[in-house]
Amino acid sequence: MNLFPPFYSLGFQENTENIDGYKPGGYHPVHLGDTFPSRDNPRYRVLHKLGLGSISTVWLAKDAVESELKSTHLVTFIAILSSNNGELAILQWLSTRPRDHPGAKHIVQVHDSFQIPGPNGTHQVLVMDVLGSLYSLIPQDGFRRQWSSVCHQVMLGLAYLHQKAVVHGDIHFGNIGFKIPNINQYTEVEMYRLIREPKSIPVVPHYHSVPSSSLPKYPVAVPETTHFMPKVFAEILKDKLTMEIIDFDNAFRLQDGRPSLKHTDVPRTVRPPELTFYKLSGGQVKDEWGLPSDVWSMAYMIWEIGFSDVMLAKGSEDDNRLIYETMKLVGPLPERWKPYWNSKCFEDSDGNFTLDPAATWKERCPPENDGDSTDSVAIVVNLLRDMLCWEPMSRPTAADLLRHPWFATQSPS
């Protein structure tokens, strides 16, 4: 019996994927300098890692063909996904639809796609524009001034998706990117100065008998751009940011129906209550995941972007606590959901508990900063309270929300 995992890393593993994810059906091993689609067709050359997810890794690559045609240092973003990912199908379908809505420009576009064979199976590769992460911008001075503009653009994108009867299914600020102006002006050397040279971590087997073909020789850490690109961020924040919605792994068309159990992938702290109660009831509660579910998650995102704070942090580890914390903001549960919530630990000695949403909102609202007036925060709270309605069909649509006073001064560009 082996007492240790089959592999271990020789170094600190912060900002790298779990090495156990490299197995049949898991991650595809990628190394710096690898070319895709193949060695015989080396169009995209890997320069650095940009991100990772539960089923994918994301890389910065140089596009040899476009760089030669346009005489630029064209870099692109390649996402290497597991073969059962449905993101490409949704994005390809959207690309065939009329772009007759101002929100269409706020949806990520796929410029190229192909499949690659590997030791862990066949993987889908998507080629897209390089986008920055909101995680890196939110701490920067001046970002708060773009709060309503950023959220307006995301709402436009959501309204476009909903016009096409597409549910995104995973709206949160980790799935929103911003375009980086003039990124193709940088040489490879200059790019490394901006985001630092890649940090690799060797991987070795504990046992000689363990096959290593499924693993990379070294995982590459995702760079922490927040700390060493302040000049770049300052330049970006001088102008209006351009936002795009990304990560369509949970997305589906209403006409196709929701793929089974996909709601389990949605982070608990942004998960709409209809998904939580569907889970808690073992499917006894009607499955109501649809367009209004995106509106609920969007409300959480607006709060977190503006106040750099998780709206329901106290419910992040437990569904019962999450429901109670939500009730404090939204009010009593609908009758049909009450049998599936355990209220005992929140009741007083008389079996009661008090809800006062107006007082809770007042308590939760952060102090004014960055030039916001009391009225502006009150307007945001009014917007969020409209969006956070227990009954899915009673929530305003994304199109309705674009007419809210908080968005009224924003242009549709």
Side-chain angles (χ1 to χ4, degrees):
M1 179 178 176
N2 294 328
L3 299 178
F4 302 101
F7 294 92
Y8 65 95
S9 299
L10 295 176
F12 191 53
Q13 297 185 61
E14 185 178 13
N15 298 325
T16 63
E17 59 275 22
N18 187 333
I19 201 70
D20 295 336
Y22 285 96
K23 58 187 177 182
Y27 295 121
H28 177 78
V30 178
H31 300 95
L32 301 170
D34 281 357
T35 55
F36 297 103
S38 66
R39 290 183 181 178
D40 297 330
N41 182 17
R43 176 169 180 173
Y44 305 104
R45 178 165 55 85
V46 173
L47 303 179
H48 210 315
K49 181 184 279 182
L50 292 180
L52 56 94
S54 60
I55 62 167
S56 64
T57 53
V58 180
W59 301 83
L60 182 73
K62 183 171 182 178
D63 183 342
V65 172
E66 290 294 318
S67 295
E68 184 174 347
L69 288 175
K70 298 181 179 179
S71 300
T72 66
H73 305 284
L74 194 73
V75 292
T76 193
F77 165 117
I78 60 174
I80 302 177
L81 311 167
S82 63
S83 57
N84 61 354
N85 183 278
E87 181 168 8
L88 178 62
I90 286 286
L91 291 174
Q92 285 183 328
W93 182 82
L94 284 170
S95 72
T96 68
R97 303 296 93 191
R99 296 177 65 80
D100 54 352
H101 188 288
K105 65 184 290 185
H106 299 297
I107 305 300
V108 69
Q109 293 189 63
V110 177
H111 300 302
D112 193 7
S113 65
F114 47 86
Q115 292 188 327
I116 52 173
N120 297 329
T122 300
H123 287 70
Q124 184 73 54
V125 180
L126 308 184
V127 181
M128 296 170 274
D129 291 332
V130 178
L131 298 174
S133 166
L134 279 185
Y135 283 114
S136 58
L137 272 190
I138 286 175
Q140 305 301 318
D141 292 338
F143 175 78
R144 179 72 180 277
R145 290 189 293 272
Q146 300 224 25
W147 181 23
S148 62
S149 172
V150 165
C151 295
H152 180 253
Q153 293 178 60
V154 178
M155 191 69 80
L156 277 170
L158 203 58
Y160 167 72
L161 291 177
H162 291 185
Q163 183 195 74
K164 306 305 179 188
V166 171
V167 179
H168 182 274
D170 198 13
I171 290 288
H172 56 81
F173 74 75
N175 284 338
I176 310 298
F178 65 90
K179 287 191 173 182
I180 304 174
N182 305 314
I183 190 170
N184 291 314
Q185 71 183 0
Y186 301 113
T187 65
E188 289 182 37
V189 172
E190 290 169 334
M191 188 69 69
Y192 285 136
R193 286 175 185 163
L194 287 173
I195 59 176
R196 289 185 179 172
E197 293 194 9
K199 178 183 176 182
S200 59
I201 304 165
V203 174
V204 297
H206 261 122
Y207 313 104
H208 292 297
S209 60
V210 176
S212 59
S213 60
S214 290
L215 282 82
K217 296 180 179 67
Y218 50 86
V220 177
V222 177
E224 284 279 8
T225 55
T226 303
H227 305 298
F228 50 86
M229 289 181 69
K231 291 183 179 179
V232 176
F233 289 141
E235 288 298 315
I236 289 171
L237 288 169
K238 283 182 180 178
D239 300 313
K240 182 178 178 179
L241 294 166
T242 300
M243 315 307 299
E244 292 187 1
I245 299 174
I246 62 175
D247 193 345
F248 281 71
D249 180 42
N250 271 349
F252 62 94
R253 300 185 303 171
L254 289 178
Q255 68 188 66
D256 298 330
R258 178 184 57 78
S260 177
L261 298 180
K262 273 206 165 186
H263 69 275
T264 58
D265 297 334
V266 181
R268 179 183 276 113
T269 52
V270 299
R271 186 185 299 162
E274 55 268 30
L275 308 192
T276 297
F277 280 98
Y278 180 78
K279 171 190 169 188
L280 290 176
S281 70
Q284 296 300 307
V285 168
K286 180 183 176 183
D287 181 357
E288 299 176 273
W289 194 7
L291 305 181
S293 304
D294 284 342
V295 170
W296 180 282
S297 297
M298 179 77 188
Y300 282 22
M301 193 203 76
I302 291 172
W303 176 279
E304 291 179 29
I305 287 178
F307 300 123
S308 303
D309 176 39
V310 177
M311 181 178 275
L312 295 174
K314 290 183 179 178
S316 60
E317 300 298 329
D318 175 73
D319 283 331
N320 274 312
R321 167 63 67 175
L322 175 68
I323 292 164
Y324 177 63
E325 295 297 328
T326 307
M327 290 171 65
K328 288 162 66 176
L329 291 169
V330 181
L333 287 172
E335 289 297 324
R336 70 184 187 282
W337 290 348
K338 287 182 179 179
Y340 306 104
W341 178 59
N342 182 4
S343 62
K344 296 297 183 184
C345 56
F346 307 107
E347 296 173 351
D348 60 24
S349 57
D350 297 323
N352 300 313
F353 54 85
T354 301
L355 299 175
D356 186 350
T360 303
W361 279 103
K362 186 176 181 179
E363 176 187 333
R364 291 292 311 279
C365 281
E368 303 298 329
N369 60 53
D370 229 17
D372 280 341
S373 67
T374 302
D375 287 343
S376 68
V377 172
I379 289 172
V380 175
V381 170
N382 173 270
L383 171 72
L384 298 180
R385 294 190 72 174
D386 283 348
M387 298 169 73
L388 294 175
C389 176
W390 287 123
E391 294 290 354
M393 300 312 297
S394 296
R395 294 172 204 154
T397 67
D400 292 336
L401 291 164
L402 287 168
R403 294 188 284 271
H404 189 275
W406 195 53
F407 293 133
T409 58
Q410 298 296 328
S411 68
S413 60

